[in-house]
Amino acid sequence: FEEGYSLFGVEGFNLHNQVADDSYMGEQFGYYVMREMGVPAPRTGYAELTIDGQLEGLYSLVERKDADWLRRWYTSAESNLYE
């Protein structure tokens, strides 16, 4: 990690282990439906997490809700963000 770098325009993301969702589709499908309806929701994807050469499994990759996320959905990122 280095300050100021981004991946596909995203500076940060969250990894979710999906321990309660054996299909690994609930979160992605829910956010997709929300975005299609015009409701602000993060972009999602999948990642195989490997630590020191050891595969730890499949994780859900979820865009962080930050100032960049606010700018994509709203005209200004100057207001407060409540989750």
Side-chain angles (χ1 to χ4, degrees):
F1 174 79
E2 288 192 39
E3 193 69 36
Y5 282 84
S6 68
L7 178 64
F8 301 112
V10 178
E11 290 185 16
F13 52 85
N14 298 314
L15 291 173
H16 298 178
N17 65 7
Q18 300 297 310
V19 69
D21 181 8
D22 291 336
S23 73
Y24 284 73
M25 293 174 43
E27 190 169 39
Q28 281 73 7
F29 182 71
Y31 285 145
Y32 170 78
V33 169
M34 291 170 62
R35 287 190 308 272
E36 289 297 306
M37 292 174 36
V39 176
R43 295 174 287 184
T44 61
Y46 294 100
E48 282 188 347
L49 179 63
T50 304
I51 299 175
D52 293 331
Q54 175 74 30
L55 180 63
E56 298 296 329
L58 184 66
Y59 280 71
S60 175
L61 194 65
V62 180
E63 178 180 22
R64 207 168 49 183
K65 296 179 201 110
D66 56 13
D68 292 330
W69 182 84
L70 284 172
R71 278 189 215 89
R72 279 195 320 105
W73 286 99
Y74 301 100
T75 56
S76 171
E78 300 302 317
S79 60
N80 296 325
L81 172 63
Y82 299 97
E83 294 188 41

